[in-house]
Amino acid sequence: MKLPVIKHLTQFIEENDEDYVVETIETLEALTEVPSLKDEELDVIGELISNMYGAIEVNKMVKDGTPKKEALNNFMSRVLGSIDK
């Protein structure tokens, strides 16, 4: 996951609507079923999907009253904490 991408997507959600990101995730998930995709292509799609889910999670924290910067930092701390374990 990349913090700058999640930050940008969070801004996109604020300016537009979360539904755009949800529908994009659904589209990318459907693409993963294409049998001719290479592993590298699946990795890129997976990274995009995980960043989008991250942005949705950050957006939920912001809606619940957490300042955006704090929400981004908390989310990335959780991600990095789960990787270290």
Side-chain angles (χ1 to χ4, degrees):
M1 293 191 171
K2 298 201 178 278
L3 185 59
V5 174
I6 293 171
K7 187 176 179 180
H8 186 81
L9 287 168
T10 302
Q11 185 67 37
F12 177 85
I13 291 170
E14 288 174 6
E15 293 172 0
N16 297 282
D17 193 335
E18 186 176 300
D19 290 340
Y20 288 111
V21 175
V22 171
E23 290 170 1
T24 302
I25 290 170
E26 291 170 356
T27 302
L28 290 171
E29 287 174 343
L31 278 175
T32 63
E33 311 226 352
V34 174
S36 61
L37 285 178
K38 297 175 183 159
D39 287 343
E40 298 84 21
E41 294 166 326
L42 286 171
D43 289 344
V44 170
I45 292 171
E47 182 70 17
L48 289 169
I49 291 170
S50 66
N51 283 314
M52 289 180 189
Y53 276 123
I56 289 171
E57 182 68 27
V58 169
N59 186 58
K60 285 180 185 171
M61 286 188 264
V62 170
K63 281 184 178 177
D64 290 340
T66 306
K68 188 195 301 190
K69 184 175 182 178
E70 185 179 331
L72 286 162
N73 288 336
N74 289 345
F75 178 76
M76 289 309 291
S77 292
R78 279 193 350 237
V79 169
L80 293 174
S82 69
I83 292 172
D84 290 340
K85 292 182 180 180

